[in-house]
């Protein structure tokens, strides 16, 4: 009996010890979390409650992650994220101060500065991502392109040149049918990438003039605007024959069996800048600490996103109807390092979506100048300008100094490495990583424009 009592007592003591240890562990964990949270140096925010916009695309991810992982909250920010219906609505709502900032096309704040479309003083402190787009054609167009393509192991060799589209466009023309392609906005990366790819293959995508904002003068392929989420349905209806858009809307076409992506944007320009985060100049001047705090949270989100072990969780977050609202399987196709062309033709694409590495979040002047060269090339900038005009205009829009302030605070807090801050004058090294092999140097925009075979040369 005594032995039994002793054993029961021993078990009870052991159980209490385990419970005590668990409580201590919880306390230690809570203390560690508190210590981590307290390392964030909260700024004196002029406007802690802000509303930020986005379009339902994969590359809005830094906003969703900054919200869901508590990075905004760490900065003392109370953020409401609002999905917007289209890019024009995004632009208008930021300019009219209906929202405080937004995920935006890189060309939008630049166009507002150079006088194409609605004019306003907009700025960006943060580049949201690199790469992330693709060009998709209908099944009918693909069936006409595919027979002429070189094969390896029974599959088309990538990247595919737009020259394979030349006989298809001629066939459409001979049948008195216009060849139409969709892009998301006149000053979108997608418009310029689609035009770049077509022109590199010898196809004229049309010109803009002071009196013609449609961009179809002398066009062999007619480009028009379609909002991103509507791309697959518009393609399926036969209204367009192909499109350039961000994810998940290329992979959606594959999933539905209505189209085939023929090239990713990374193959048009390797590691190209994509979206930016935009506020008005007035908002930043009135709320400088708030602008830094938002930028800090977004940089942290970008770094979190580029850790491969976080991508599955990111996919789950983005699949929510509140954000992108696409099936997890569709989002995973590009977000987890692969990309599917024809059904079953899934290939490695480790850098399809880049949110932090390669200095992805830093707003380089040279990135913005590239967009300006394309605006001039296709006639959206209607008059020839000297090289220093490009340099001065981009400095009105891109504010790397705010990014740097945010990043230095993150280093001090232990949330970023000093090596994550680029040593730069704002311009990247010259590169020839384009599908046509032309060299681009952001400090020599006029030479670059003159090197183009199709488009303005002055």
């Amino acid at each position: 009996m005594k032995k039994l009592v002793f054993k029961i007592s021993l078990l009870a003591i052991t159980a209490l010890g385990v419970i005590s240890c668990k409580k201590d562990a919880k306390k230690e964990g809570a203390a560690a979390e508190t210590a981590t949270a307290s390392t964030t140096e909260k700024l004196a925010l002029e406007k802690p409650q802000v509303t930020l916009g986005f379009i339902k695309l994969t590359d809005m991810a830094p906003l969703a992650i900054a919200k869901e992982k508590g990075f905004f909250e760490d900065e003392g920010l109370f953020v409401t994220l609002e999905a917007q219906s289209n890019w024009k609505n995004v632009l208008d709502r930021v300019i009219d101060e209906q929202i405080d900032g937004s995920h935006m096309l890189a060309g939008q704040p630049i166009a507002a500065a150079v006088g194409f479309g609605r004019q306003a003083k907009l700025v960006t402190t943060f580049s949201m991502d690199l790469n992330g787009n693709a060009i998709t054609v209908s099944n009918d167009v693909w069936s006409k392109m595919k027979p002429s393509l070189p094969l390896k192991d029974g599959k088309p060799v990538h990247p595919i040149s737009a020259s394979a589209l030349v006989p298809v466009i001629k066939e459409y023309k001979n049948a008195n049918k216009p060849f139409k392609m969709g892009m998301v906005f006149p000053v979108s990366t997608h418009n310029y990438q689609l035009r770049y790819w077509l022109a590199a293959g010898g196809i004229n995508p049309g010109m803009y003039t002071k009196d013609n904002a449609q961009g179809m003068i002398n066009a062999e392929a007619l480009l028009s605007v379609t909002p991103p989420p509507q791309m697959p349905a518009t393609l399926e209806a036969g209204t367009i024959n192909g499109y350039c858009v961000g994810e998940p809307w290329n992979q959606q076409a594959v999933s539905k069996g209505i189209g085939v992506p023929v090239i990713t944007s990374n193959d048009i320009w390797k590691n190209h800048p994509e979206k930016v985060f935009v506020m008005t100049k007035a908002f930043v001047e009135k709320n400088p600490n708030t602008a830094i705090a938002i930028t800090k949270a977004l940089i942290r989100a970008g770094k979190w996103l580029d850790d491969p072990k976080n991508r599955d969780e990111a996919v789950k977050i983005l699949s929510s109807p509140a954000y992108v609202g696409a099936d997890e399987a569709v989002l995973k196709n590009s977000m987890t390092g692969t990309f599917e062309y024809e059904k079953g033709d899934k290939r490695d694409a480790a850098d399809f979506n880049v949110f932090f590495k390669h200095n992805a979040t830093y707003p380089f002047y040279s990135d913005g100048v590239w967009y300006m060269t394309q605006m001039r090339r296709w006639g959206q900038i209607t008059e020839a300008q000297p090289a220093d005009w490009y340099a001065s205009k981009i400095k009105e829009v891109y504010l790397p100094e705010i990014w740097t302030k945010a990043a230095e605070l993150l280093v001090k807090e232990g949330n970023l490495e000093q090596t994550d801050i680029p040593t730069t004058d704002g311009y990247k090294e010259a590169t020839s990583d384009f599908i046509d092999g032309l060299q681009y140097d952001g400090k020599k925009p006029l030479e670059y424009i003159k090197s183009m075979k199709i488009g303005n040369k002055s």
Side-chain angles (χ1 to χ4, degrees):
M1 183 70 180
K2 284 181 179 179
K3 285 183 178 179
L4 181 62
V5 171
F6 176 76
K7 284 181 179 178
I8 291 170
S9 300
L10 187 62
L11 286 169
I13 290 166
T14 303
L16 286 169
V18 170
I19 291 167
S20 176
C21 286
K22 284 183 177 178
K23 283 182 178 178
D24 288 343
K26 281 184 179 178
K27 283 179 183 177
E28 285 173 14
E33 284 179 18
T34 303
T36 302
S38 66
T39 62
T40 303
E41 187 176 321
K42 288 188 175 67
L43 299 167
L45 302 182
E46 305 85 1
K47 189 175 184 184
Q49 194 161 337
V50 294
T51 300
L52 308 177
F54 67 93
I55 293 288
K56 292 193 170 190
L57 289 161
T58 302
D59 54 28
M60 65 76 60
L63 286 164
I65 297 307
K67 170 90 171 171
E68 296 298 326
K69 301 303 293 183
F71 300 149
F72 282 136
E73 191 176 347
D74 285 350
E75 301 297 333
L77 290 161
F78 300 93
V79 175
T80 300
L81 297 181
E82 280 189 6
Q84 308 297 305
S85 58
N86 57 61
W87 292 116
K88 184 181 184 305
N89 190 47
V90 166
L91 183 70
D92 289 342
R93 295 199 76 210
V94 171
I95 292 172
D96 296 336
E97 299 181 346
Q98 294 173 25
I99 55 178
D100 300 300
S102 186
H103 166 228
M104 202 177 282
L105 299 162
Q108 286 185 291
I110 297 169
V114 302
F116 183 77
R118 189 171 178 189
Q119 297 181 46
K121 292 182 178 179
L122 301 175
V123 297
T124 180
T125 64
F126 177 82
S127 175
M128 296 196 70
D129 61 322
L130 305 179
N131 308 323
N133 301 330
I135 295 172
T136 293
V137 297
S138 68
N139 290 335
D140 177 62
V141 172
W142 176 243
S143 70
K144 292 175 169 65
M145 290 177 70
K146 189 177 179 181
S148 66
L149 299 175
L151 302 178
K152 184 178 180 182
D153 299 327
K155 295 179 179 179
V157 175
H158 284 264
I160 294 173
S161 167
S163 59
L165 201 55
V166 172
V168 183
I169 291 175
K170 285 181 179 175
E171 183 180 322
Y172 271 66
K173 185 177 180 180
N174 291 338
N176 291 317
K177 293 193 296 185
F179 190 86
K180 298 180 287 186
M181 301 191 80
M183 45 81 182
V184 308
F185 203 67
V187 295
S188 66
T189 317
H190 319 79
N191 185 22
Y192 303 129
Q193 287 172 352
L194 183 51
R195 287 170 173 273
Y196 201 101
W197 180 68
L198 290 169
I203 299 165
N204 190 335
M207 298 290 293
Y208 296 86
T209 66
K210 191 180 292 185
D211 303 316
N212 187 311
Q214 301 305 308
M216 296 183 184
I217 294 173
N218 298 324
E220 294 171 288
L222 304 176
L223 277 53
S224 61
V225 170
T226 303
Q230 295 174 26
M231 289 285 194
T234 309
L235 183 73
E236 189 173 19
T239 307
I240 54 178
N241 306 110
Y243 57 70
C244 183
V245 74
E247 283 309 302
W249 309 116
N250 297 288
Q251 295 298 273
Q252 187 83 291
V254 178
S255 176
K256 294 179 72 175
I258 59 171
V260 176
V262 292
I263 189 168
T264 66
S265 56
N266 193 31
D267 283 328
I268 297 171
W269 176 13
K270 185 179 179 181
N271 291 329
H272 68 84
E274 184 45 36
K275 304 296 189 311
V276 290
F277 178 76
V278 175
M279 298 170 278
T280 63
K281 183 181 179 184
F283 180 90
V284 172
E285 289 177 345
K286 187 177 178 181
N287 308 289
N289 285 346
T290 304
I292 293 170
I294 292 171
T295 306
K296 280 180 70 184
L298 290 175
I299 293 171
R300 284 184 70 189
K303 185 160 189 176
W304 185 92
L305 276 160
D306 261 10
D307 186 334
K309 73 175 185 291
N310 294 331
R311 285 294 177 100
D312 284 337
E313 184 182 350
V315 165
K316 286 185 183 297
I317 290 169
L318 293 175
S319 69
S320 163
Y323 298 125
V324 181
D327 290 342
E328 284 185 39
V330 173
L331 287 164
K332 269 189 176 183
N333 262 357
S334 62
M335 275 288 278
T336 54
T338 61
F339 190 80
E340 192 168 17
Y341 294 91
E342 283 185 282
K343 268 198 174 178
D345 184 5
K346 188 178 284 193
R347 308 190 187 197
D348 290 338
D351 279 359
F352 186 88
N353 286 118
V354 174
F355 295 99
F356 187 76
K357 62 183 178 180
H358 310 312
N359 296 313
T361 65
Y362 187 92
F364 286 94
Y365 297 137
S366 48
D367 289 348
V369 171
W370 186 84
Y371 290 106
M372 295 169 74
T373 66
Q374 300 310 293
M375 290 175 183
R376 175 58 191 149
R377 179 187 187 184
W378 303 116
Q380 291 173 332
I381 293 175
T382 57
E383 303 294 333
Q385 301 290 347
D388 59 3
W389 178 85
Y390 288 82
S392 62
K393 275 293 174 186
I394 202 58
K395 287 177 182 177
E396 293 175 12
V397 181
Y398 278 39
L399 303 181
E401 60 271 23
I402 292 180
W403 184 97
T404 301
K405 285 179 184 176
E408 285 173 347
L409 287 170
L410 289 170
V411 170
K412 185 179 175 183
E413 297 162 6
N415 289 317
L416 211 62
E417 300 294 328
Q418 186 64 46
T419 52
D420 292 327
I421 300 178
T423 302
T424 177
D425 60 357
Y427 288 83
K428 292 178 180 175
E429 296 269 333
T431 178
S432 300
D433 284 334
F434 292 85
I435 193 166
D436 55 9
L438 293 179
Q439 186 180 71
Y440 168 63
D441 183 340
K443 293 181 177 178
K444 299 177 180 178
L446 304 188
E447 286 88 335
Y448 184 58
I449 293 169
K450 287 173 186 173
S451 72
M452 305 291 177
K453 289 182 180 178
I454 299 177
N456 283 324
K457 294 186 179 298
S458 60

